[in-house]
Amino acid sequence: MSAHQQGTELDLSWISKIQVNKPAVLRRAEQIQARRPVKKEWQAAWLLKAVTCIDLTTLSGDDTASNIQRLCYKAKYPIREDLLKALNMHDKGITTAAVCVYPARVCDAVKALKAAGCDIPVASVATGFPAGQTHLKTRLEEIRLAVEDGATEIDVVINRTLVLTGQWKGSDFIKTSTGKETVNATFPVAIVMLRAIRDFFWKTGNKVGFKPAGGIRSAKDSLVWLSLIKEELGDEWMKPELFRIGASTLLADIERQIYHHVTGRYAAYHDLPMS
């Protein structure tokens, strides 16, 4: 039972005492990337698991209702049906975990998913994404409007001043980065974050989710991330309730790798249109 559930105040003073052994973290990051994360015969199953953890994302200034509609269709049908049939997975309801869009596009996403007869959650990057440097009142209003339009998950850009000055707040999920930075999801940073999640769970009984975002483009990358989650946090975290991958182009490479697994050849561009 967590401290919060028991009604006692959560003491976070232990956080200020944490020290990171940087050389050890870098060694662990090199180790996880150097080895083959999954045996070949299990790769297709792991790649399908990765699909179910993807927040399929478009965060472009030129997003329109039509490309949101294509994104939502792809979220519902992430892998070609004949490929899923070949793997005997066509009746398992495999979809991405969510679609992630700007607040102004939430209505388009909700409408498109409803038309597709699909209950995939709509996530939105509210609160002054990506810098988070807008007034609190504006940020809260942005969340309210996104939820009003049908978003059920909000990726909140924290005010990093609070972190840098040690003013910690609670969270359901923590995310490596906005995906809009020069450097985004890196393994050394992820290891530190995952061990913080583990420590927090041991101390409080509360499970916090984890979302790497930005620069995760290859199927191999997704396997490494899943392996890292399994090794650092265990099987309980290997599900969309506690693990998401924020990505826009990753799904296309996963589908290419599954195509190769099933057919023995690599897909031509026209075999697997992205949307």
Side-chain angles (χ1 to χ4, degrees):
M1 184 176 279
S2 73
H4 178 69
Q5 289 167 324
Q6 291 171 327
T8 56
E9 193 174 334
L10 180 60
D11 176 22
L12 294 179
S13 60
W14 58 274
I15 290 177
S16 62
K17 299 182 181 78
I18 290 172
Q19 292 186 319
V20 175
N21 181 341
K22 196 172 178 184
V25 169
L26 293 173
R27 278 198 303 275
R28 173 76 175 115
E30 285 172 14
Q31 175 201 32
I32 194 86
Q33 291 173 86
R35 66 171 192 262
R36 173 177 278 189
V38 182
K39 287 184 178 176
K40 199 170 184 182
E41 59 267 33
W42 295 107
Q43 279 187 7
W46 275 60
L47 288 173
L48 290 178
K49 165 64 79 175
V51 167
T52 66
C53 293
I54 290 175
D55 280 352
L56 193 59
T57 302
T58 181
L59 296 169
S60 299
D62 57 357
D63 282 337
T64 62
S66 59
N67 80 295
I68 299 294
Q69 190 176 9
R70 288 196 301 274
L71 185 87
C72 291
Y73 184 86
K74 193 63 184 172
K76 186 181 181 184
Y77 303 106
I79 306 294
R80 242 174 49 179
E81 192 176 7
D82 60 318
L83 300 177
L84 290 175
K85 278 184 177 171
L87 297 167
N88 199 28
M89 294 293 286
H90 57 288
D91 57 352
K92 299 293 190 288
I94 288 176
T95 68
T96 67
V99 296
C100 184
V101 296
Y102 275 119
R105 301 262 73 98
V106 168
C107 271
D108 295 333
V110 169
K111 185 179 173 185
L113 289 168
K114 191 176 178 182
C118 185
D119 59 359
I120 297 170
V122 175
S124 186
V125 290
T127 66
F129 181 88
Q133 294 286 3
T134 51
H135 288 293
L136 179 60
K137 189 176 178 183
T138 309
R139 298 164 79 214
L140 292 172
E141 181 70 0
E142 197 173 28
I143 292 172
R144 191 184 66 76
L145 290 170
V147 170
E148 217 172 70
D149 285 346
T152 53
E153 300 176 1
I154 302 291
D155 279 23
V156 174
V157 184
I158 59 172
N159 182 332
R160 277 165 271 188
T161 304
L162 296 174
V163 173
L164 295 171
T165 53
Q167 300 175 63
W168 298 101
K169 305 291 176 186
S171 177
D172 300 308
F173 256 75
I174 54 175
K175 185 173 172 180
T176 56
S177 44
T178 62
K180 298 286 188 182
E181 309 293 333
T182 313
V183 177
N184 291 288
T186 67
F187 290 109
V189 167
I191 289 162
V192 174
M193 292 174 75
L194 292 172
R195 292 188 181 178
I197 288 172
R198 190 169 67 189
D199 285 353
F200 189 72
F201 175 61
W202 286 346
K203 286 179 185 293
T204 69
N206 287 335
K207 291 177 184 168
V208 173
F210 176 70
K211 179 177 174 178
I216 304 171
R217 296 186 180 91
S218 74
K220 186 186 175 191
D221 284 345
S222 70
L223 296 178
V224 177
W225 282 106
L226 278 172
S227 296
L228 185 62
I229 295 296
K230 184 179 172 67
E231 290 177 21
E232 294 290 335
L233 295 175
D235 291 345
E236 278 186 275
W237 261 264
M238 290 180 66
K239 55 187 181 182
E241 290 80 10
L242 288 168
F243 177 58
R244 300 288 180 88
I245 301 172
S248 50
T249 58
L250 170 63
L251 181 56
D253 193 55
I254 289 179
E255 193 173 22
R256 275 194 293 273
Q257 297 306 320
I258 289 174
Y259 182 96
H260 180 260
H261 180 88
V262 169
T263 66
R265 60 189 177 84
Y266 284 104
Y269 182 75
H270 60 267
D271 288 323
L272 300 171
M274 174 54 196
S275 310

